[in-house]
Amino acid sequence: MIYSFGASNYFSFKDGFDVSFEFNSKVPKNISKGRKLSTVMGIKGANASGKTSILRSLEYLTAFCTRSFKRAEKDLNLVAPFFENTAPCEFYIDFEANGVRYIYETSITTSAVEKEVLYKKISRKTKIFERKKNEITYRISELEELDLIILRNNASVIDTLNFYKLDLKTPDISNVQSFFNAVRGNVSALTVLDDKDFSSYEDVNKYYHQVPSALEFAKNIIIKCDLGISDIQLYEHTNKQGEIEHFPIFFHSGGSEGTRALSYFAESHGTTALYRRLKTYWATLYWGGTLVMDEFDTNLHPDLLPIIIDLFLNPETNPKSAQFIFTSHNLEVIDHLGKYRTILVGKEDGESFCYRLDEIPGDIIRNDRSISSLYRDGKIGGVPKL
């Protein structure tokens, strides 16, 4: 689970940002539900304020720690400093993996990794390794294999060690890898992926066929959302290449004609989008990890949003404490999230900044007052200047 993460000199965040999932002692128990960390964080703000850049920083760290070694030797996956200045982009993430808390930091320019360091935090913060440029300046004795590896300008130590599949004497590197491997969503380095790209129709059907419990999960939610659907069943056919493919049929009940069957392509965009996305929601809830979704409300009715959010808030539907961080243009979602689970992003003179709503001093935001009305009136920031 993520405690907090942040970046500076990254896209429009010149001075940086910090996003914290931690609950303090002031958070009501009906909100924390006994957890020390929030399992949901919503990000709101005007268009071009920098909301997506916050999510991109998580995707960048994930790609750097899990896929950087296989890149072309000079490719740093388009790290983006503030207005293309020459100073490095700074990233950090404080998280827990397999019961151990870690802090990972890295500093990267458009041409090379300047610094990379991993800490473990038990009773105190202790360093596991430190890298400056392509030299290991510190390592624990259990990572003696680092002495034999030549580091590359554009690859992380984490992914380099994973690539060589060394028999390490410490689980720390595999713990960090497992954490980042469990980050999924629709954000890439430069854009938001269409559902058809990160959860394609064919892949979703194949997954639902292989994992019937995931299909049952999706079916129950779609039926609950009162879309007139009473059942979803998968069928199969053989394509021209002789391969078996699966396809869904949506059954609608009611009316004088009784039950009617519609193909996926005859359903609305909202229904098909929900059908595709629920595969990713189920996988995150079942396996644990972090789901990162930009504009997660696209093609979804506003009344559906609390249903999806509550899947992550409810310990019964989220026993692995999976975390969901997202952006949304829907206004009422703020009231459902409350001040402890909402980040507002603003921009002044081309520079972005952000804050969690409970960081606003005074009592303008109370648990018994609508936050969306305050937001609409511009009293807490994060709204477009029209």
Side-chain angles (χ1 to χ4, degrees):
M1 296 185 71
I2 299 174
Y3 283 76
S4 64
F5 70 95
S8 61
N9 191 37
Y10 185 64
F11 282 98
S12 57
F13 287 94
K14 180 181 179 181
D15 292 330
F17 68 86
D18 295 280
V19 172
S20 173
F21 288 79
E22 290 193 72
F23 287 141
N24 59 33
S25 58
K26 297 180 181 179
V27 178
K29 291 183 179 179
N30 67 312
I31 292 177
S32 66
K33 299 183 186 300
R35 288 170 164 151
K36 60 184 177 181
L37 302 173
S38 177
T39 52
V40 171
M41 192 63 63
I43 302 175
K44 290 283 297 177
N47 285 345
S49 60
K51 302 185 301 297
T52 303
S53 296
I54 293 176
L55 303 187
R56 281 178 181 148
S57 69
L58 271 178
E59 162 57 23
Y60 188 87
L61 283 173
T62 298
F64 185 59
C65 289
T66 61
R67 304 189 295 275
S68 59
F69 193 86
K70 294 181 180 179
R71 296 182 193 143
E73 195 159 340
K74 293 183 179 181
D75 179 20
L76 273 163
N77 198 24
L78 300 171
V79 66
F82 180 78
F83 280 98
E84 299 182 350
N85 64 53
T86 58
C89 297
E90 308 277 354
F91 302 89
Y92 88 90
I93 184 165
D94 181 351
F95 63 97
E96 185 176 299
N98 294 328
V100 182
R101 188 170 175 180
Y102 297 96
I103 300 172
Y104 176 78
E105 301 172 359
T106 187
S107 175
I108 305 173
T109 69
T110 55
S111 59
V113 179
E114 294 291 311
K115 184 178 179 181
E116 186 180 5
V117 58
L118 177 66
Y119 301 94
K120 182 189 294 187
K121 192 172 182 180
I122 303 177
S123 58
R124 60 187 179 87
K125 183 178 174 182
T126 59
K127 193 180 298 183
I128 296 174
F129 74 78
E130 182 176 42
R131 167 235 194 123
K132 292 183 179 178
K133 295 189 180 294
N134 285 346
E135 179 184 354
I136 297 297
T137 56
Y138 176 84
R139 63 160 178 81
I140 58 176
S141 59
E142 292 87 346
L143 287 177
E144 59 186 0
E145 290 83 357
L146 276 175
D147 299 340
L148 306 175
I149 292 176
I150 298 176
L151 298 178
R152 277 181 19 190
N153 283 343
N154 69 333
S156 73
V157 169
I158 303 294
D159 197 37
T160 299
L161 287 170
N162 180 67
F163 178 83
Y164 285 112
K165 301 190 182 303
L166 302 170
D167 186 19
L168 302 177
K169 298 180 180 65
T170 173
D172 294 320
I173 302 302
S174 62
N175 284 347
V176 174
Q177 270 273 327
S178 67
F179 167 81
F180 283 112
N181 281 329
V183 177
R184 54 180 71 86
N186 68 348
V187 181
S188 71
L190 289 179
T191 188
V192 178
L193 301 175
D194 186 89
D195 286 353
K196 298 174 183 177
D197 294 323
F198 91 96
S199 290
S200 72
Y201 168 74
E202 294 80 9
D203 288 344
V204 168
N205 291 336
K206 182 178 179 181
Y207 191 89
Y208 283 149
H209 169 70
Q210 295 174 339
V211 188
S213 55
L215 175 61
E216 194 66 21
F217 167 84
K219 182 195 307 185
N220 289 338
I221 291 177
I222 291 174
I223 292 172
K224 181 180 179 181
C225 292
D226 193 22
L227 300 174
I229 295 170
S230 59
D231 195 14
I232 303 172
Q233 294 185 21
L234 281 179
Y235 294 84
E236 64 180 45
H237 70 95
T238 304
N239 62 22
K240 295 179 180 179
Q241 290 75 37
E243 302 168 332
I244 294 177
E245 294 181 338
H246 296 87
F247 62 95
I249 294 296
F250 296 76
F251 293 91
H252 294 250
S253 60
S256 59
E257 298 179 6
T259 301
R260 292 162 291 181
L262 290 178
S263 74
Y264 169 91
F265 300 101
E267 290 289 349
S268 69
H269 288 301
T271 299
T272 56
L274 189 59
Y275 173 80
R276 292 192 306 270
R277 293 178 194 174
L278 284 170
K279 169 251 184 181
T280 305
Y281 293 130
W282 181 89
T284 307
L285 291 165
Y286 184 82
W287 297 107
T290 308
L291 179 60
V292 182
M293 295 289 290
D294 193 36
E295 299 182 5
F296 105 100
D297 54 331
T298 302
N299 291 326
L300 297 180
H301 190 279
D303 290 346
L304 299 183
L305 306 185
I307 294 175
I308 301 298
I309 292 171
D310 285 346
L311 291 172
F312 289 85
L313 293 178
N314 188 341
E316 292 185 6
T317 53
N318 186 12
K320 300 286 182 66
S321 297
Q323 290 176 302
F324 181 26
I325 179 169
F326 62 87
T327 68
S328 169
H329 287 291
N330 179 271
L331 182 59
E332 286 71 22
V333 76
I334 299 181
D335 291 325
H336 194 72
L337 292 171
K339 65 180 180 179
Y340 303 104
R341 296 187 289 246
T342 303
I343 298 288
L344 282 192
V345 184
K347 182 183 276 187
E348 294 287 345
D349 299 324
E351 297 184 20
S352 296
F353 56 92
C354 72
Y355 46 93
R356 206 167 78 176
L357 287 185
D358 61 319
E359 296 174 1
I360 297 176
D363 60 353
I364 186 172
I365 300 179
R366 299 201 307 260
N367 293 328
D368 60 347
R369 176 184 292 176
S370 169
I371 301 176
S372 59
S373 60
L374 297 173
Y375 177 81
R376 186 184 295 108
D377 294 340
K379 294 181 179 179
I380 57 177
V383 295
K385 296 181 179 179
L386 303 177

